[in-house]
Amino acid sequence: MYNKLSEEILEGFKKIIGEKNVIYDREKIIDYSHDEITLKEFYNLPEVVLKPNNNLEISEILKICYREKIPVTARGGGTGLSGGCIPIYGGVIIDFENMKKVIEVDKENFTITVEAGLTLKEFYEIVNKHNMFFPPHPGDESATIGGLIATNAGGARAVKYGVMRNFVKEIEVVLPDGSIETFGGKYKKCSSGYSLLNLFIGSEGTLGIITKATISLIPPSEKIYTLIIPFKDLGQGIKVSPLIIQKKIIPLAIEFLEKNIINLVENYLNKKWPCEIGNAYLMIMVDGTEEETLKTSEKIAEICSENGALDVFIIEDEKRQKEVLDMRSMIYEALKSNTLEILDITVPVSKIYNFVYEVKKIEEKYKTYIPIYGHAGDGNVHTHIMKGEFKENKWVEIENWKEKYKLVKDEIHIIGKNLNGILSGEHGIGLLKKEYLSLFFSEKHINLMKEIKKIFDPNNILNPGKIF
Ligand SMILES: Cc1cc2nc3c(=O)[nH]c(=O)nc-3n(C[C@H](O)[C@H](O)[C@H](O)COP(=O)(O)OP(=O)(O)OC[C@H]3O[C@@H](n4cnc5c(N)ncnc54)[C@H](O)[C@@H]3O)c2cc1C
């Protein structure tokens, strides 16, 4: 299907980006064979990793790859959880390490324009320095702006302000034939034909390579508080979340977590969760002026106390709040050694309880361990399919985990579909979820997506084998 790289093509790349930015030694490219997924059977090496310095160099690289039919996969931080940046047909990886420039801080329009390789951590630093606020908080801050846009990442703080899509104003993209296009702009309204900007957000590197983005920010809130609310069981906690929203309180984040997962994170990070009582928790973040934040926290405390909360811990100290958010973000890492796969099926908020309840029945049926936690405020639930369970301070292998894996995965997806959910709320389809696309979308729907892919990428060189 694809051509291999010849000496001549490699020489061409060296001329464009310089010899030191063309890497093909096996030991040096081994880490590019995977992202954060754990299933090694999906790992695959690229033939070469290229580290271009700007959009024009990417354009020249793509012109060659388009002509020679060489597959090209963009890689940001490699923090993806669906195998999105794995080069399954080999070929070229484009690494954005040398593309981290901050191009413009526009204080009048409250936007910052950066190159796609800037990491989330670096982006937060710039945003804070200019006294602005960027609400999305996907858990791993080594993700890049390009990767966050390409997956339409979300994270814990999406309830009030939304996900990446709500903050991307403009992108510069290199198309497969090497042409450079800009989509979107700093304007607030647009009714001008199809939104190609939105088509690129969440397109997982299959339509074009994002090289630059203008991101909108908001003024920082005077205060953010984090509330930790323990419950006797998870069901009670989950049922409270819609009640909070029904009372017209929209927090920054509403997360649900079980104690056994928190214990694992405590163990993994050697840090303490703010409370020990209860078997399940809601972690709620609220923002506003000092007065608003306090008042909202009190209202939430009242609703929760009336509905089974064992206590309410309000954390005001910024450093401690960050620690708690980090503990939440590190759940994946704490479970990773025994995780086969993390799913991120998203259901309507009113159906989270049903989803969790049904997943618990599967856990029971297959005598397995399915840690379940996630974003109670937006219905995005993370379920881990495991090969081990942490018992008495060590991981113990689950009996027949290999046979159970596919059966459990199938059943969880069917539950998600039956509850009017969607396959992925934030991680993307990548490699691991594509077999379930036809469960959630009609044939016509999938064919329309395939036709769009063909229009942008007739030679199918960009991240082939992903999504479909
Ligand atoms: C501990 C942990 C916690 C996480 N928590 C969250 C969370 O809360 N919410 C969430 O949404 N995600 C979360 N993730 C997943 C991950 O961080 C996101 O999917 C992130 O957006 C990936 O960014 P990246 O730069 O690492 O992209 P990569 O993994 O490198 O690539 C992801 C996809 O984007 C494409 N891509 C990358 N750069 C570009 C570009 N410049 N142009 C075009 N396509 C490109 C790739 O080809 C691939 O398809 C978490 C991951 C980990 C490990």
Side-chain angles (χ1 to χ4, degrees):
M1 268 159 85
Y2 295 102
N3 292 319
K4 291 272 169 211
L5 290 174
S6 62
E7 277 303 319
E8 200 186 328
I9 294 173
L10 278 176
E11 283 311 308
F13 291 152
K14 285 178 189 168
K15 274 202 191 108
I16 298 167
I17 59 175
E19 196 161 349
K20 71 175 188 334
N21 291 317
V22 179
I23 299 151
Y24 40 80
D25 291 347
R26 200 186 148 82
E27 316 84 74
K28 291 188 184 151
I29 60 172
I30 199 99
D31 281 346
Y32 293 88
S33 66
H34 62 90
D35 55 6
E36 282 289 323
I37 66 166
T38 57
L39 295 166
K40 296 210 165 41
E41 61 264 36
F42 288 103
Y43 291 14
N44 199 46
L45 277 173
E47 285 173 80
V48 68
V49 173
L50 304 180
K51 299 187 178 187
N53 299 294
N54 55 52
N55 56 353
L56 297 176
E57 290 181 358
I58 294 183
S59 163
E60 291 308 310
I61 292 167
L62 284 194
K63 279 179 195 162
I64 294 178
C65 294
Y66 190 71
R67 191 182 67 223
E68 304 289 341
K69 222 165 181 265
I70 310 266
V72 180
T73 304
R75 180 184 172 100
T79 69
L81 294 171
S82 62
C85 67
I86 297 180
I88 50 170
Y89 293 101
V92 169
I93 282 253
I94 296 196
D95 179 324
F96 282 84
E97 196 179 279
N98 297 334
M99 290 181 63
K100 287 170 175 262
K101 275 196 222 67
V102 178
I103 295 160
E104 183 196 55
V105 177
D106 179 346
K107 291 199 169 169
E108 282 184 342
N109 289 302
F110 248 74
T111 60
I112 295 184
T113 303
V114 297
E115 283 186 325
L118 200 78
T119 66
L120 188 58
K121 185 170 188 293
E122 292 158 342
F123 187 64
Y124 283 139
E125 281 164 11
I126 312 287
V127 168
N128 290 341
K129 189 172 138 200
H130 293 281
N131 198 26
M132 296 175 173
F133 183 54
F134 180 58
H137 187 272
D140 191 325
E141 293 185 7
S142 47
T144 59
I145 293 296
L148 294 163
I149 297 171
T151 54
N152 188 25
R157 299 193 305 215
V159 185
K160 186 166 180 180
Y161 298 108
V163 296
M164 277 310 285
R165 190 180 297 284
N166 303 88
F167 293 87
V168 182
K169 301 303 293 178
E170 184 180 287
I171 52 174
E172 178 189 82
V173 176
V174 182
L175 296 170
D177 64 0
S179 52
I180 301 176
E181 276 296 321
T182 298
F183 302 105
K186 287 183 187 171
Y187 33 78
K188 292 252 183 212
K189 285 178 164 180
C190 174
S191 302
S192 309
Y194 307 128
S195 170
L196 298 187
L197 170 70
N198 275 292
L199 187 55
F200 273 89
I201 301 169
S203 64
E204 302 188 41
T206 62
L207 302 180
I209 308 278
I210 301 159
T211 46
K212 196 166 99 181
T214 299
I215 308 291
S216 71
L217 291 312
I218 59 171
S221 299
E222 207 177 283
K223 282 278 169 216
I224 296 181
Y225 289 166
T226 300
L227 283 65
I228 302 295
I229 308 165
F231 290 88
K232 197 163 88 261
D233 65 64
L234 186 60
Q236 277 182 326
I238 293 173
K239 281 182 177 165
V240 173
S241 320
L243 301 181
I244 296 170
I245 294 169
Q246 277 161 29
K247 295 266 179 189
K248 302 193 181 78
I249 300 168
I250 311 291
L252 207 53
I254 314 180
E255 299 286 297
F256 69 91
L257 315 134
E258 278 186 293
K259 186 174 186 139
N260 63 54
I261 298 175
I262 289 298
N263 291 154
L264 268 167
V265 182
E266 285 182 323
N267 211 33
Y268 183 75
L269 294 176
N270 200 17
K271 286 199 173 138
K272 271 267 158 244
W273 188 243
C275 91
E276 286 188 3
I277 55 169
N279 294 312
Y281 309 98
L282 284 185
M283 178 189 125
I284 301 182
M285 298 172 78
V286 292
D287 69 336
T289 61
E290 188 157 10
E291 198 190 334
E292 280 164 358
T293 315
L294 194 63
K295 221 164 127 190
T296 313
S297 303
E298 282 168 0
K299 272 196 211 157
I300 293 174
E302 199 181 303
I303 299 167
C304 291
S305 303
E306 282 166 4
N307 289 280
L310 301 173
D311 205 339
V312 177
F313 297 81
I314 301 180
I315 311 172
E316 296 176 29
D317 178 63
E318 266 179 46
K319 203 167 147 233
R320 186 66 180 128
Q321 289 191 69
K322 185 174 180 326
E323 237 171 61
V324 170
L325 183 60
D326 286 347
M327 286 181 82
R328 159 63 190 89
S329 300
M330 290 307 279
I331 293 176
Y332 180 74
E333 293 298 328
L335 291 166
K336 187 176 168 186
S337 67
N338 276 262
T339 291
L340 291 165
E341 194 177 337
I342 176 177
L343 312 180
D344 77 319
I345 292 166
T346 301
V347 294
V349 177
S350 61
K351 300 285 185 211
I352 301 175
Y353 177 79
N354 311 58
F355 185 76
V356 172
Y357 179 76
E358 293 296 328
V359 170
K360 294 271 174 201
K361 285 207 295 203
I362 294 175
E363 187 180 55
E364 187 65 37
K365 176 175 161 188
Y366 288 99
K367 301 209 172 355
T368 184
Y369 172 46
I370 311 179
I372 185 161
Y373 58 92
H375 313 303
D378 56 34
N380 187 199
V381 184
H382 296 315
T383 35
H384 284 239
I385 307 182
M386 305 291 289
K387 63 177 178 187
E389 186 170 7
F390 201 68
K391 280 182 179 165
E392 288 157 21
N393 262 337
K394 59 175 193 302
W395 286 102
V396 180
E397 196 171 286
I398 293 165
E399 211 178 307
N400 299 329
W401 59 265
K402 270 193 195 133
E403 292 77 17
K404 290 173 184 172
Y405 170 38
K406 180 78 170 82
L407 298 169
V408 167
K409 187 174 171 182
D410 283 352
E411 288 205 26
I412 296 178
H413 280 93
I414 291 167
I415 294 168
K417 165 69 184 164
N418 289 343
L419 291 171
N420 297 323
I422 192 67
L423 179 52
S424 170
E426 56 182 17
H427 295 162
I429 307 299
L431 262 183
L432 295 194
K433 303 189 187 108
K434 56 185 191 172
E435 63 180 305
Y436 295 97
L437 207 62
S438 59
L439 180 66
F440 289 85
F441 295 122
S442 69
E443 200 184 329
K444 178 84 184 169
H445 191 137
I446 295 172
N447 281 338
L448 284 169
M449 290 204 260
K450 284 183 177 166
E451 290 302 319
I452 291 170
K453 164 77 174 163
K454 259 191 226 155
I455 292 170
F456 281 90
D457 185 16
N459 287 353
N460 195 23
I461 60 160
L462 278 194
N463 210 2
K466 305 297 164 55
I467 304 180
F468 313 109

